[in-house]
Amino acid sequence: MAQTPRNPPPERRKLSSESGVPPVAGSHAQAAASENTLKAYSKDWGHFARWCRRRGTDPLPPAPDIIALYLTSLATPGTSPSARPLAASTIERRLSGLAWNFTQRGFPLDRRDHRIAAALAGIKREHGRPPVQKEAIQPEDIMAMTDTLPHDLRGLRDRAILLLGYAGGLRRSEIVSLDVRKDGTPDSGGWIEIMDQGVLLTLNAKSGWREVEVGRGSSARTCPVQALEQWLHFAKIGFGPVFLRVSRDGKRTLDSRLSDKHVARLIKKTVLDAGIRAELPDKERLALFSGQSLRAGLANSASACERYVPQEPGHAPAEKPRPDRRRQDRFRINLTRAAGL
């Protein structure tokens, strides 16, 4: 009896090479990147595979000259008005997506190959521009932003998102990935533990697991912990995702977890509604603020406690307590109040 060959036939290998799902990517490789990153990488591969197909070439194995030509095409204006050239930073991220996909398919890509490196350097020199610095949200800004929110379920949820994200210096993906309890859902990115002095967030961040302490604020209006408690109470959430979608009438929660895109839209909408930087046109105001504005706001507002504030929220603090004293030292430094809340 003939044995089944280990390698799939060529036609099946070609089909898998054009698929958005890497055929050899295991669960550990998938877990190494966030859900949003995996979605972006899948789109990157799909676009590259279609580009290759239109030119009669196969995306596998990786050919440095083909990849260099592809990167150059991304920076070149298309024939239609909608086919605008991509920014140099976006093209570099596309290359990262391709490299990840090639590796998962068993073909590691050498990004330092002189053809790829030369193409990328030329794109940066011709189309590169400095990154846009997002403006930090100040304590008076976050108060004005939360004051624009309604008092229905949607308003309670969004108020908790803004205050918790600001006081914790959280990424928008970290905010929406929180669960009420440990091991709550398969797509969980961490969980919360509400205590007398505040709430402890355990997060699976880009750099690994970390804990974030958010102390109680100086008033009910600005306390992120109280806002979180009110949302969980009135939304009747005792397990699963902390932040859920809400019905159009704002009266009931839905089953699906909130998207991190909602956080970006929420920040921009409340910035406009609160009249922050009203001297600028709306388009310029929207470009100034993003999810990064919450993280930057904490670092700026809590400068009085600079010794205990990371250089960038989400990194290890300057002084780390000894493990045997870690629990008794919780909330000894209340960054919520130091930040003006």
Side-chain angles (χ1 to χ4, degrees), residues 67-292:
I67 295 172
L69 185 61
Y70 171 70
L71 297 178
T72 302
S73 72
L74 297 178
T76 306
T79 55
S80 64
S82 59
R84 294 180 295 177
L86 299 181
S89 58
T90 304
I91 294 174
E92 191 169 18
R93 194 207 58 75
R94 284 272 184 100
L95 179 59
S96 297
L98 293 183
W100 187 90
N101 276 281
F102 280 126
T103 300
Q104 302 312 309
R105 288 168 168 80
F107 296 94
L109 175 67
D110 181 11
R111 296 179 54 172
R112 295 174 296 180
D113 181 278
H114 70 277
R115 288 158 290 188
I116 298 175
L120 194 59
I123 291 170
K124 289 181 178 180
R125 184 170 55 252
E126 185 74 19
H127 304 282
R129 56 181 180 269
V132 178
Q133 185 69 35
K134 297 301 180 180
E135 187 154 325
I137 292 175
Q138 305 301 323
E140 59 272 18
D141 296 334
I142 200 73
M143 295 178 197
M145 291 163 66
T146 55
D147 285 345
T148 67
L149 297 171
H151 294 282
D152 56 5
L153 273 182
R154 180 178 287 105
L156 290 175
R157 179 200 64 193
D158 290 347
R159 189 172 288 105
I161 287 174
L162 289 177
L163 291 174
L164 189 68
Y166 184 85
L170 305 178
R171 299 179 178 90
R172 63 186 192 181
S173 59
E174 292 174 338
I175 297 172
V176 300
S177 68
L178 286 169
D179 276 8
V180 177
R181 300 174 184 171
K182 183 180 179 181
D183 302 325
T185 59
D187 60 342
S188 171
W191 64 91
I192 65 172
E193 185 180 353
I194 298 178
M195 306 176 181
D196 291 339
Q197 302 126 303
V199 58
L200 177 66
L201 313 177
T202 303
L203 299 166
N204 188 5
K206 290 183 178 180
S207 56
W209 287 98
R210 67 185 179 98
E211 291 183 346
V212 174
E213 299 166 6
V214 178
R216 294 187 181 270
S218 56
S219 71
R221 175 191 173 198
T222 60
C223 177
V225 183
Q226 184 167 333
L228 177 63
E229 289 174 325
Q230 287 181 336
W231 156 247
L232 294 175
H233 172 74
F234 287 103
K236 299 179 181 178
I237 298 176
F239 60 91
V242 171
F243 295 111
L244 296 169
R245 294 177 58 210
V246 174
S247 60
R248 289 183 179 273
D249 59 9
K251 295 182 178 180
R252 59 187 177 87
T253 57
L254 305 178
D255 293 334
S256 54
R257 185 188 297 274
L258 201 64
S259 166
D260 67 328
K261 293 180 180 179
H262 173 80
V263 180
R265 291 192 295 263
L266 172 63
I267 292 170
K268 293 180 181 296
K269 180 180 184 304
T270 51
V271 161
L272 288 181
D273 293 345
I276 299 171
R277 298 298 302 271
E279 73 277 8
L280 299 176
D282 287 356
K283 186 176 181 180
E284 292 184 26
R285 294 165 64 196
L286 290 175
L288 279 177
F289 295 94
S290 70
Q292 180 64 27

